[in-house]
Amino acid sequence: MNIRAALLALALGLGACQNMPEPYAPPVQRQPLVEYHPRFVSIVDMADPDAPQRFVQDIADYSQATWRWTLKRPTVRLRLNSNENLKYTIDFTLPDLTFKDTGPLTITFYVNGHMLDRVRYPSPGYQHFEKPIPPGWVTPREETTVAAEIDKMWVSKDDGTQFGFIISRIGLSQ
């Protein structure tokens, strides 16, 4: 009887086996996206196609060039991963054409409404301003505003059109 039970168990076991179709591979294993973070922009370059999405106020959004005209207080919004070692950074131009009428200009630089500095520019031309900001002025992953305010606008004698300065890029760098 023991032999008979063993043969029956062997027959049932062999009948349960089947060959898998060829080729067979297990599904590809992928890592979960636990570290996904949305894009965080720290410098708004006026040549970027998505730059107008970052404008808050006083920056012309009609230009396709690498620069744009501003009005009184050009402001952009950013989101940053960190508030450590940040520097306010801006590249701009005070054009000869407008400067001959306005004379020396003063520009005040802001981060989230905090005044960082006020600089007097006695001559026209390309300008670069960069200065560290206190970490407490920016909260990581929350909206941050960066602005530059000119003290005197240029006003056209022909039609009253107003311009501030020409901006190339503005934001916070590390």
Side-chain angles (χ1 to χ4, degrees), residues 2 4 11 16 31 52 54 63-64 69 71 78 84 90-91 101 107 112-113 118 122 137 147 150 156 158 167 170 174:
N2 286 341
R4 197 178 215 182
Q31 295 296 324
R54 307 281 175 211
S63 176
Q64 295 298 320
W69 277 106
L71 294 175
L78 318 165
E84 300 295 320
I90 184 172
D91 292 319
D101 292 335
I107 299 182
N112 282 336
R118 180 175 285 137
W137 287 11
I150 194 166
S156 168
D158 296 333
I167 190 168
I170 184 172
Q174 287 187 319

Side-chain angles (χ1 to χ4, degrees), residues 58-60 62 67-71 95 97-98 163-167:
D58 290 351
I59 301 174
Y62 56 82
W67 56 270
R68 295 168 193 263
W69 277 106
T70 70
L71 294 175
L97 178 69
T98 60
F163 290 111
F165 54 91
I166 292 174
I167 190 168

Side-chain angles (χ1 to χ4, degrees), residues 8-159:
L8 181 61
L10 182 61
L12 290 174
L14 289 175
C17 292
Q18 68 176 11
N19 290 332
M20 296 299 290
E22 292 294 329
Y24 174 76
V28 176
Q29 301 296 310
R30 294 188 176 109
Q31 295 296 324
L33 297 175
V34 293
E35 290 299 316
Y36 171 76
H37 298 292
R39 181 175 178 225
F40 290 94
V41 176
S42 58
I43 297 282
V44 178
D45 191 314
M46 299 303 129
D48 290 344
D50 64 344
Q53 296 171 3
R54 307 281 175 211
F55 298 169
V56 174
Q57 68 182 30
D58 290 351
I59 301 174
D61 63 357
Y62 56 82
S63 176
Q64 295 298 320
T66 58
W67 56 270
R68 295 168 193 263
W69 277 106
T70 70
L71 294 175
K72 181 81 171 161
R73 188 177 177 144
T75 306
V76 297
R77 68 175 160 256
L78 318 165
R79 285 188 191 269
L80 298 111
N81 283 326
S82 170
N83 62 356
E84 300 295 320
N85 303 315
L86 294 176
K87 291 183 258 181
Y88 182 111
T89 303
I90 184 172
D91 292 319
F92 62 99
T93 302
L94 302 173
D96 291 329
L97 178 69
T98 60
F99 200 88
K100 68 181 181 178
D101 292 335
T102 62
L105 296 164
T106 299
I107 299 182
T108 308
F109 304 98
Y110 296 93
V111 176
N112 282 336
H114 300 279
M115 187 182 87
L116 179 63
D117 203 350
R118 180 175 285 137
V119 179
R120 184 174 185 273
Y121 293 92
S123 58
Y126 169 80
Q127 308 292 333
H128 174 81
F129 174 82
E130 188 171 287
K131 186 173 182 177
I133 65 164
W137 287 11
V138 172
T139 303
R141 294 186 177 83
E142 288 189 12
E143 188 173 278
T144 297
T145 58
V146 178
E149 185 173 311
I150 194 166
D151 66 334
K152 295 181 276 188
M153 299 280 289
W154 177 82
V155 180
S156 168
K157 293 175 178 109
D158 296 333
D159 62 5

